[in-house]
Amino acid sequence: MKTPLIMTPGPTSVHEDVRRAMSKKITNPDLDMEFYEFYKETSDRLKQLFLTSNDILILNGEGILGLEAACASLIEPGDQVLCLDNGIFGKGFGEFAELYGAEVTYFKSDYRKAISVEELEQFLADRHDFKLALLVHCETPSGITNPVNHICPLLKKYGILTVVDSVSAVGGEELRTDEWQMDLVLAGSQKCLSAPPGLSIVSISGDAWKMIQSRKQPVAGFYCNLSLWSSWYEKKWFPYTQPVSDLYGLRAAVDRILTEGDSITRHKKYAEAVRTSLVDAGLELYAQDGFSNTVTTVLVPDGIRFQELFNAMLTNHNIMIAGAFDYLADKVFRIGHMGENCREETLYLALKALNEVLKKHRVVLEKELHIEFVNLISQM
Ligand SMILES: *Cc1c(COP(=O)(O)O)cnc(C)c1O
Protein backbone atom coordinates (compact mmCIF):
# COMPACT_ATOMS: atom_id res chain seq x y z
CA MET A 1 0.00 0.00 0.00
CA LYS A 2 1.39 3.36 -1.00
CA THR A 3 0.24 5.70 1.75
CA PRO A 4 -1.16 8.88 0.21
CA LEU A 5 -0.28 12.39 1.25
CA ILE A 6 -3.33 13.19 3.36
CA MET A 7 -4.25 16.82 2.68
CA THR A 8 -7.47 16.31 4.61
CA PRO A 9 -8.73 18.44 7.50
CA GLY A 10 -7.83 15.68 9.90
CA PRO A 11 -6.31 13.28 10.32
CA THR A 12 -3.15 15.08 9.25
CA SER A 13 0.36 13.84 8.47
CA VAL A 14 2.29 12.68 11.50
CA HIS A 15 5.94 13.73 11.69
CA GLU A 16 8.67 11.13 12.05
CA ASP A 17 9.62 12.46 15.52
CA VAL A 18 6.10 11.71 16.68
CA ARG A 19 6.06 8.25 15.15
CA ARG A 20 9.42 7.50 16.73
CA ALA A 21 8.17 8.63 20.15
CA MET A 22 5.24 6.23 19.79
CA SER A 23 7.53 3.29 19.25
CA LYS A 24 9.29 3.73 22.61
CA LYS A 25 9.06 0.95 25.19
CA ILE A 26 5.94 1.29 27.30
CA THR A 27 5.59 1.26 31.05
CA ASN A 28 2.71 0.39 33.35
CA PRO A 29 0.99 3.78 33.58
CA ASP A 30 -0.96 2.92 36.74
CA LEU A 31 2.04 1.78 38.76
CA ASP A 32 4.91 3.86 37.38
CA MET A 33 5.06 7.12 39.36
CA GLU A 34 7.17 8.70 36.63
CA PHE A 35 4.33 8.26 34.21
CA TYR A 36 2.10 10.49 36.37
CA GLU A 37 4.80 13.18 36.12
CA PHE A 38 5.00 12.66 32.36
CA TYR A 39 1.24 13.05 31.98
CA LYS A 40 1.27 16.18 34.16
CA GLU A 41 4.14 17.75 32.21
CA THR A 42 2.33 17.00 28.96
CA SER A 43 -0.78 18.66 30.32
CA ASP A 44 1.33 21.67 31.45
CA ARG A 45 2.75 22.05 27.95
CA LEU A 46 -0.73 21.94 26.48
CA LYS A 47 -1.60 24.81 28.85
CA GLN A 48 1.06 26.87 27.07
CA LEU A 49 -0.68 26.16 23.76
CA PHE A 50 -4.15 26.93 25.13
CA LEU A 51 -2.86 29.98 27.03
CA THR A 52 -4.57 28.87 30.19
CA SER A 53 -3.92 28.14 33.81
CA ASN A 54 -7.01 25.89 33.91
CA ASP A 55 -6.72 22.13 34.34
CA ILE A 56 -6.12 20.16 31.17
CA LEU A 57 -7.08 16.51 30.83
CA ILE A 58 -6.17 14.18 28.01
CA LEU A 59 -8.92 11.64 27.44
CA ASN A 60 -8.46 8.34 25.70
CA GLY A 61 -10.71 8.62 22.71
CA GLU A 62 -10.92 10.54 19.46
CA GLY A 63 -12.15 14.20 19.56
CA ILE A 64 -15.81 13.28 19.81
CA LEU A 65 -15.19 11.81 23.28
CA GLY A 66 -14.35 15.29 24.58
CA LEU A 67 -17.60 16.72 23.18
CA GLU A 68 -19.64 13.94 24.68
CA ALA A 69 -17.79 14.06 28.03
CA ALA A 70 -18.52 17.80 28.25
CA CYS A 71 -22.25 17.21 27.70
CA ALA A 72 -22.40 14.18 30.01
CA SER A 73 -20.56 15.93 32.85
CA LEU A 74 -22.16 19.39 32.70
CA ILE A 75 -25.76 18.72 31.70
CA GLU A 76 -28.61 17.50 33.87
CA PRO A 77 -32.03 16.65 32.45
CA GLY A 78 -34.10 19.79 31.85
CA ASP A 79 -31.12 22.18 31.74
CA GLN A 80 -31.46 25.12 29.38
CA VAL A 81 -28.65 24.99 26.85
CA LEU A 82 -27.90 27.44 24.07
CA CYS A 83 -26.38 26.00 20.90
CA LEU A 84 -24.74 28.38 18.43
CA ASP A 85 -25.44 26.76 15.10
CA ASN A 86 -23.77 27.95 11.92
CA GLY A 87 -22.67 24.57 10.64
CA ILE A 88 -22.74 20.81 10.85
CA PHE A 89 -20.63 20.46 13.99
CA GLY A 90 -22.50 23.26 15.78
CA LYS A 91 -25.86 21.64 15.16
CA GLY A 92 -24.48 18.21 16.08
CA PHE A 93 -23.16 19.56 19.38
CA GLY A 94 -26.71 20.60 20.31
CA GLU A 95 -27.92 17.11 19.48
CA PHE A 96 -25.34 15.64 21.88
CA ALA A 97 -26.73 17.91 24.61
CA GLU A 98 -30.23 16.62 23.83
CA LEU A 99 -28.98 13.05 24.34
CA TYR A 100 -28.19 14.04 27.94
CA GLY A 101 -31.62 15.59 28.53
CA ALA A 102 -30.92 19.26 27.83
CA GLU A 103 -33.58 21.60 26.48
CA VAL A 104 -31.64 23.08 23.64
CA THR A 105 -32.32 26.43 22.01
CA TYR A 106 -30.60 26.80 18.65
CA PHE A 107 -29.29 30.22 17.68
CA LYS A 108 -29.12 29.44 14.00
CA SER A 109 -27.26 31.70 11.63
CA ASP A 110 -26.05 31.76 8.02
CA TYR A 111 -24.08 28.57 7.27
CA ARG A 112 -21.76 30.43 4.89
CA LYS A 113 -20.73 33.06 7.42
CA ALA A 114 -19.13 33.36 10.83
CA ILE A 115 -21.55 33.92 13.70
CA SER A 116 -22.45 37.60 13.95
CA VAL A 117 -21.60 38.96 17.38
CA GLU A 118 -24.13 41.81 16.97
CA GLU A 119 -26.99 39.42 16.20
CA LEU A 120 -26.03 37.23 19.13
CA GLU A 121 -25.91 40.30 21.35
CA GLN A 122 -29.47 41.23 20.31
CA PHE A 123 -30.67 37.69 20.90
CA LEU A 124 -29.09 37.51 24.36
CA ALA A 125 -30.50 40.88 25.41
CA ASP A 126 -33.96 39.26 25.06
CA ARG A 127 -33.16 35.84 26.38
CA HIS A 128 -30.23 34.62 28.45
CA ASP A 129 -31.55 32.10 30.97
CA PHE A 130 -29.06 29.46 29.82
CA LYS A 131 -26.84 27.34 32.03
CA LEU A 132 -24.28 26.89 29.29
CA ALA A 133 -23.63 27.52 25.62
CA LEU A 134 -22.12 25.16 23.06
CA LEU A 135 -20.18 26.56 20.15
CA VAL A 136 -17.63 25.59 17.54
CA HIS A 137 -14.40 27.49 17.02
CA CYS A 138 -13.73 26.27 13.48
CA GLU A 139 -16.57 24.67 11.50
CA THR A 140 -14.40 22.16 9.66
CA PRO A 141 -16.90 21.10 6.94
CA SER A 142 -17.52 24.66 5.78
CA GLY A 143 -14.10 26.17 6.55
CA ILE A 144 -15.39 28.92 8.82
CA THR A 145 -13.81 30.21 12.01
CA ASN A 146 -16.11 31.85 14.54
CA PRO A 147 -15.06 34.90 16.60
CA VAL A 148 -14.86 33.05 19.91
CA ASN A 149 -12.73 35.93 21.23
CA HIS A 150 -15.88 38.11 21.24
CA ILE A 151 -18.55 35.44 21.71
CA CYS A 152 -17.24 33.83 24.92
CA PRO A 153 -16.82 37.06 26.94
CA LEU A 154 -20.31 38.11 25.79
CA LEU A 155 -21.85 34.85 27.01
CA LYS A 156 -19.98 35.06 30.31
CA LYS A 157 -21.34 38.56 30.85
CA TYR A 158 -24.74 36.84 31.17
CA GLY A 159 -23.32 34.15 33.45
CA ILE A 160 -23.49 31.50 30.72
CA LEU A 161 -20.77 28.85 30.86
CA THR A 162 -18.92 28.50 27.52
CA VAL A 163 -18.10 25.12 25.97
CA VAL A 164 -16.04 25.42 22.81
CA ASP A 165 -15.30 22.71 20.25
CA SER A 166 -11.87 23.85 19.13
CA VAL A 167 -10.94 20.44 17.70
CA SER A 168 -9.86 21.76 14.30
CA ALA A 169 -8.46 25.06 15.58
CA VAL A 170 -6.06 24.45 18.50
CA GLY A 171 -2.53 24.88 17.16
CA GLY A 172 -3.72 26.57 13.95
CA GLU A 173 -5.96 29.44 15.05
CA GLU A 174 -5.32 31.97 17.78
CA LEU A 175 -6.63 30.69 21.10
CA ARG A 176 -6.55 32.56 24.40
CA THR A 177 -8.52 30.40 26.76
CA ASP A 178 -8.22 32.53 29.90
CA GLU A 179 -8.33 35.96 28.28
CA TRP A 180 -11.42 35.00 26.25
CA GLN A 181 -13.12 33.38 29.28
CA MET A 182 -13.57 29.96 27.70
CA ASP A 183 -14.72 27.45 30.33
CA LEU A 184 -14.33 24.19 28.45
CA VAL A 185 -12.10 24.02 25.39
CA LEU A 186 -12.04 20.76 23.47
CA ALA A 187 -9.31 19.58 21.12
CA GLY A 188 -8.30 16.41 19.34
CA SER A 189 -4.93 14.87 18.60
CA GLN A 190 -5.38 14.40 14.85
CA LYS A 191 -5.99 17.90 13.54
CA CYS A 192 -3.54 20.81 13.88
CA LEU A 193 -1.55 19.00 16.57
CA SER A 194 -0.67 16.32 14.00
CA ALA A 195 -0.60 13.29 16.26
CA PRO A 196 -2.61 10.21 15.22
CA PRO A 197 -6.34 10.10 16.03
CA GLY A 198 -7.13 8.68 19.45
CA LEU A 199 -6.96 11.42 22.07
CA SER A 200 -9.25 14.25 23.20
CA ILE A 201 -7.95 17.20 25.15
CA VAL A 202 -10.18 19.17 27.50
CA SER A 203 -9.36 22.33 29.43
CA ILE A 204 -11.66 22.94 32.37
CA SER A 205 -12.13 26.26 34.21
CA GLY A 206 -12.87 26.68 37.91
CA ASP A 207 -16.49 27.62 37.07
CA ALA A 208 -16.88 24.44 35.04
CA TRP A 209 -15.49 22.30 37.89
CA LYS A 210 -17.96 23.99 40.23
CA MET A 211 -20.83 23.17 37.89
CA ILE A 212 -19.73 19.56 37.64
CA GLN A 213 -19.29 19.21 41.39
CA SER A 214 -22.59 20.81 42.31
CA ARG A 215 -24.74 18.49 40.18
CA LYS A 216 -27.92 17.24 41.80
CA GLN A 217 -27.76 13.91 40.03
CA PRO A 218 -24.63 11.85 39.42
CA VAL A 219 -23.24 11.65 35.88
CA ALA A 220 -24.81 8.74 34.04
CA GLY A 221 -21.80 6.84 32.77
CA PHE A 222 -18.16 6.35 33.63
CA TYR A 223 -15.98 6.95 30.57
CA CYS A 224 -17.48 10.42 29.98
CA ASN A 225 -17.48 11.45 33.63
CA LEU A 226 -14.93 14.25 34.04
CA SER A 227 -15.44 14.44 37.82
CA LEU A 228 -13.53 11.18 38.22
CA TRP A 229 -10.43 13.08 37.13
CA SER A 230 -10.72 15.86 39.72
CA SER A 231 -7.68 14.83 41.77
CA TRP A 232 -5.94 12.23 39.61
CA TYR A 233 -2.51 13.72 40.28
CA GLU A 234 -2.83 14.03 44.07
CA LYS A 235 -4.18 10.50 44.34
CA LYS A 236 -1.88 9.12 41.63
CA TRP A 237 -4.87 7.42 40.14
CA PHE A 238 -6.25 7.32 36.59
CA PRO A 239 -9.87 6.26 36.02
CA TYR A 240 -8.64 3.73 33.47
CA THR A 241 -5.36 2.54 31.97
CA GLN A 242 -3.71 5.22 29.88
CA PRO A 243 -2.77 4.64 26.22
CA VAL A 244 0.93 5.12 26.85
CA SER A 245 2.12 5.17 23.22
CA ASP A 246 -0.55 7.64 22.11
CA LEU A 247 0.49 9.96 24.92
CA TYR A 248 4.19 9.68 23.97
CA GLY A 249 3.19 10.66 20.45
CA LEU A 250 1.04 13.59 21.56
CA ARG A 251 3.83 14.89 23.76
CA ALA A 252 6.30 14.84 20.87
CA ALA A 253 3.75 16.59 18.64
CA VAL A 254 3.08 19.32 21.21
CA ASP A 255 6.81 19.78 21.78
CA ARG A 256 7.30 20.31 18.04
CA ILE A 257 4.71 23.10 18.06
CA LEU A 258 6.10 24.77 21.18
CA THR A 259 9.64 24.60 19.79
CA GLU A 260 8.48 26.24 16.58
CA GLY A 261 7.13 29.09 18.70
CA ASP A 262 4.50 30.59 16.40
CA SER A 263 2.51 28.01 14.47
CA ILE A 264 -0.46 30.38 14.21
CA THR A 265 1.30 32.83 11.89
CA ARG A 266 2.38 29.95 9.66
CA HIS A 267 -1.25 28.78 9.39
CA LYS A 268 -2.49 32.30 8.64
CA LYS A 269 0.09 32.85 5.91
CA TYR A 270 -0.43 29.58 4.08
CA ALA A 271 -4.21 29.67 4.45
CA GLU A 272 -4.27 33.06 2.81
CA ALA A 273 -1.95 31.88 0.04
CA VAL A 274 -4.17 28.85 -0.67
CA ARG A 275 -7.31 30.99 -0.79
CA THR A 276 -5.67 33.55 -3.05
CA SER A 277 -4.52 30.85 -5.41
CA LEU A 278 -7.99 29.26 -5.65
CA VAL A 279 -9.96 32.48 -5.91
CA ASP A 280 -7.62 34.03 -8.49
CA ALA A 281 -8.12 30.94 -10.63
CA GLY A 282 -11.87 31.57 -10.53
CA LEU A 283 -12.91 28.90 -8.03
CA GLU A 284 -15.53 29.82 -5.43
CA LEU A 285 -14.96 29.35 -1.72
CA TYR A 286 -17.89 28.07 0.32
CA ALA A 287 -17.24 30.55 3.13
CA GLN A 288 -18.27 34.14 2.53
CA ASP A 289 -16.44 35.42 5.58
CA GLY A 290 -14.69 34.06 8.66
CA PHE A 291 -12.23 32.15 6.45
CA SER A 292 -10.56 29.37 8.41
CA ASN A 293 -6.80 29.26 8.69
CA THR A 294 -6.82 25.48 8.99
CA VAL A 295 -9.11 24.27 6.17
CA THR A 296 -10.45 25.69 2.91
CA THR A 297 -13.78 24.52 1.51
CA VAL A 298 -14.31 25.05 -2.22
CA LEU A 299 -17.43 24.58 -4.36
CA VAL A 300 -16.88 21.76 -6.86
CA PRO A 301 -16.63 23.61 -10.20
CA ASP A 302 -18.70 22.84 -13.29
CA GLY A 303 -17.19 20.17 -15.48
CA ILE A 304 -16.16 17.68 -12.80
CA ARG A 305 -17.90 15.71 -10.08
CA PHE A 306 -16.46 15.44 -6.58
CA GLN A 307 -15.79 11.73 -6.87
CA GLU A 308 -13.89 12.19 -10.15
CA LEU A 309 -11.78 14.90 -8.56
CA PHE A 310 -11.08 12.78 -5.49
CA ASN A 311 -10.19 9.71 -7.56
CA ALA A 312 -7.94 11.59 -9.97
CA MET A 313 -6.06 13.29 -7.13
CA LEU A 314 -5.56 9.96 -5.40
CA THR A 315 -4.86 7.69 -8.37
CA ASN A 316 -2.74 9.99 -10.45
CA HIS A 317 -1.05 12.05 -7.75
CA ASN A 318 -1.30 9.97 -4.57
CA ILE A 319 -2.85 12.92 -2.76
CA MET A 320 -5.99 12.60 -0.70
CA ILE A 321 -8.28 15.60 -0.46
CA ALA A 322 -11.60 15.57 1.37
CA GLY A 323 -15.20 16.12 0.45
CA ALA A 324 -17.75 16.92 3.10
CA PHE A 325 -20.84 15.25 4.44
CA ASP A 326 -24.47 16.03 5.22
CA TYR A 327 -25.88 18.86 3.08
CA LEU A 328 -22.43 19.56 1.64
CA ALA A 329 -21.85 16.05 0.27
CA ASP A 330 -20.63 16.15 -3.36
CA LYS A 331 -20.98 19.95 -3.45
CA VAL A 332 -17.58 20.90 -2.07
CA PHE A 333 -14.02 19.69 -1.76
CA ARG A 334 -11.74 20.56 1.10
CA ILE A 335 -8.02 21.08 1.44
CA GLY A 336 -6.68 20.80 4.96
CA HIS A 337 -3.78 23.10 5.70
CA MET A 338 -3.43 22.18 9.31
CA GLY A 339 -0.50 21.06 11.41
CA GLU A 340 2.20 19.24 9.46
CA ASN A 341 0.26 19.70 6.22
CA CYS A 342 0.52 23.45 6.49
CA ARG A 343 3.91 23.56 4.82
CA GLU A 344 5.13 24.91 1.54
CA GLU A 345 6.14 21.51 0.10
CA THR A 346 2.84 19.77 0.79
CA LEU A 347 0.66 22.66 -0.37
CA TYR A 348 2.76 23.04 -3.50
CA LEU A 349 2.20 19.37 -4.33
CA ALA A 350 -1.53 19.54 -3.58
CA LEU A 351 -2.23 22.65 -5.66
CA LYS A 352 -0.03 21.50 -8.53
CA ALA A 353 -1.94 18.22 -8.67
CA LEU A 354 -5.28 20.00 -8.38
CA ASN A 355 -4.33 22.30 -11.25
CA GLU A 356 -3.43 19.32 -13.45
CA VAL A 357 -6.58 17.40 -12.61
CA LEU A 358 -8.82 20.38 -13.34
CA LYS A 359 -7.01 21.03 -16.64
CA LYS A 360 -7.26 17.41 -17.68
CA HIS A 361 -11.01 17.44 -17.04
CA ARG A 362 -11.29 20.67 -19.05
CA VAL A 363 -12.69 22.64 -16.16
CA VAL A 364 -12.72 26.25 -17.29
CA LEU A 365 -10.56 28.38 -15.00
CA GLU A 366 -9.78 32.06 -15.29
CA LYS A 367 -6.14 31.18 -14.97
CA GLU A 368 -3.98 28.42 -13.62
CA LEU A 369 -3.55 28.03 -9.88
CA HIS A 370 -0.53 29.77 -8.42
CA ILE A 371 1.58 27.19 -6.79
CA GLU A 372 4.72 29.09 -5.98
CA PHE A 373 4.06 29.90 -2.37
CA VAL A 374 7.30 31.65 -1.75
CA ASN A 375 6.34 34.29 -4.32
CA LEU A 376 2.77 34.50 -3.18
CA ILE A 377 3.64 35.00 0.44
CA SER A 378 6.41 37.50 -0.17
CA GLN A 379 3.93 39.64 -2.13
CA MET A 380 1.57 39.89 0.84
C1 LIG B 1 -12.68 16.54 13.60
C2 LIG B 1 -13.63 17.26 14.43
C3 LIG B 1 -14.24 16.64 15.51
C4 LIG B 1 -14.02 15.21 15.81
O1 LIG B 1 -14.84 14.50 14.98
P1 LIG B 1 -14.51 13.35 13.94
O2 LIG B 1 -15.54 13.58 12.88
O3 LIG B 1 -14.70 12.09 14.65
O4 LIG B 1 -13.13 13.53 13.42
C5 LIG B 1 -15.10 17.41 16.29
N1 LIG B 1 -15.34 18.71 16.02
C6 LIG B 1 -14.76 19.34 14.98
C7 LIG B 1 -15.07 20.78 14.73
C8 LIG B 1 -13.88 18.63 14.16
O5 LIG B 1 -13.30 19.24 13.12
Side-chain angles (χ1 to χ4, degrees):
M1 189 174 104
K2 194 163 166 242
T3 314
L5 172 61
I6 43 171
M7 295 305 291
T8 51
T12 53
S13 305
V14 174
H15 191 270
E16 193 184 338
D17 290 354
V18 176
R19 286 185 277 127
R20 202 175 287 132
M22 294 183 75
S23 67
K24 279 196 306 198
K25 258 191 193 168
I26 71 157
T27 182
N28 182 318
D30 294 314
L31 303 179
D32 187 339
M33 290 304 125
E34 281 181 26
F35 188 82
Y36 290 91
E37 298 304 326
F38 171 82
Y39 185 108
K40 184 169 182 302
E41 278 166 25
T42 305
S43 153
D44 287 344
R45 289 185 195 193
L46 283 161
K47 290 181 193 181
Q48 295 177 39
L49 262 188
F50 283 57
L51 294 179
T52 188
S53 55
N54 291 338
D55 288 341
I56 287 196
L57 300 175
I58 308 157
L59 308 178
N60 313 154
E62 186 277 336
I64 291 291
L65 173 64
L67 274 59
E68 184 151 5
C71 291
S73 301
L74 292 167
I75 294 169
E76 297 193 63
D79 280 346
Q80 295 296 323
V81 167
L82 175 64
C83 173
L84 304 188
D85 166 17
N86 69 324
I88 294 169
F89 276 104
K91 180 162 177 281
F93 211 175
E95 289 164 2
F96 278 5
E98 286 171 6
L99 288 176
Y100 288 91
E103 284 182 22
V104 181
T105 301
Y106 291 85
F107 173 80
K108 190 171 163 136
S109 64
D110 193 328
Y111 269 31
R112 292 187 75 171
K113 291 183 175 158
I115 291 166
S116 150
V117 179
E118 292 77 51
E119 283 169 24
L120 180 64
E121 212 157 6
Q122 285 165 12
F123 170 87
L124 288 170
D126 266 0
R127 187 163 171 215
H128 44 258
D129 57 333
F130 300 104
K131 178 169 154 181
L132 57 94
L134 306 170
L135 62 145
V136 177
H137 192 170
C138 169
E139 268 289 352
T140 330
S142 47
I144 292 172
T145 295
N146 284 315
V148 295
N149 54 328
H150 296 301
I151 295 174
C152 293
L154 174 62
L155 290 163
K156 285 295 271 189
K157 212 173 72 185
Y158 287 103
I160 302 169
L161 198 94
T162 60
V163 182
V164 184
D165 170 354
S166 194
V167 174
S168 60
V170 172
E173 295 279 8
E174 196 178 8
L175 172 72
R176 299 180 172 273
T177 302
D178 289 357
E179 193 181 317
W180 299 346
Q181 303 177 60
M182 302 161 89
D183 289 298
L184 253 74
V185 178
L186 309 160
S189 51
Q190 83 274 30
K191 307 273 167 100
C192 308
L193 303 182
S194 281
L199 297 173
S200 288
I201 299 144
V202 188
S203 88
I204 308 173
S205 71
D207 285 351
W209 276 128
K210 269 187 228 141
M211 187 178 285
I212 293 170
Q213 276 147 5
S214 61
R215 291 175 63 100
K216 294 187 200 72
Q217 296 168 37
V219 175
F222 187 88
Y223 213 59
C224 285
N225 184 350
L226 294 173
S227 73
L228 297 173
W229 288 85
S230 60
S231 46
W232 68 270
Y233 182 69
E234 293 71 21
K235 292 190 204 144
K236 301 288 181 288
W237 178 84
F238 292 120
Y240 40 81
T241 303
Q242 296 303 296
V244 182
S245 304
D246 285 352
L247 285 158
Y248 288 161
L250 178 70
R251 169 64 167 274
V254 171
D255 283 352
R256 275 182 61 76
I257 298 172
L258 292 176
T259 307
E260 177 185 356
D262 184 7
S263 62
I264 309 301
T265 302
R266 167 167 56 90
H267 281 81
K268 265 190 200 151
K269 258 186 357 192
Y270 284 113
E272 204 167 322
V274 168
R275 289 192 297 267
T276 306
S277 171
L278 296 165
V279 171
D280 282 359
L283 292 163
E284 189 183 344
L285 304 185
Y286 181 76
Q288 292 173 336
D289 64 25
F291 306 105
S292 162
N293 289 319
T294 65
V295 51
T296 296
T297 304
V298 188
L299 297 182
V300 175
D302 288 340
I304 195 165
R305 284 180 299 117
F306 170 72
Q307 202 58 49
E308 289 171 332
L309 177 59
F310 178 86
N311 292 348
M313 289 290 285
L314 188 59
T315 318
N316 305 334
H317 300 276
N318 200 33
I319 293 177
M320 190 177 276
I321 56 165
F325 35 93
D326 201 302
Y327 77 100
L328 287 175
D330 298 326
K331 295 197 172 62
V332 298
F333 68 91
R334 293 184 295 160
I335 298 174
H337 29 85
M338 45 176 81
E340 295 294 346
N341 293 347
C342 187
R343 307 253 176 224
E344 185 175 335
E345 314 81 80
T346 48
L347 289 166
Y348 170 83
L349 290 173
L351 290 189
K352 185 163 177 279
L354 180 64
N355 192 51
E356 281 175 26
V357 169
L358 294 177
K359 256 191 358 200
K360 214 166 160 186
H361 281 77
R362 300 183 199 291
V363 172
V364 183
L365 293 179
E366 282 167 26
K367 58 177 172 183
E368 299 204 7
L369 292 163
H370 315 287
I371 49 178
E372 302 296 342
F373 282 95
V374 193
N375 295 340
L376 252 175
I377 287 170
S378 62
Q379 283 162 15
M380 281 174 187

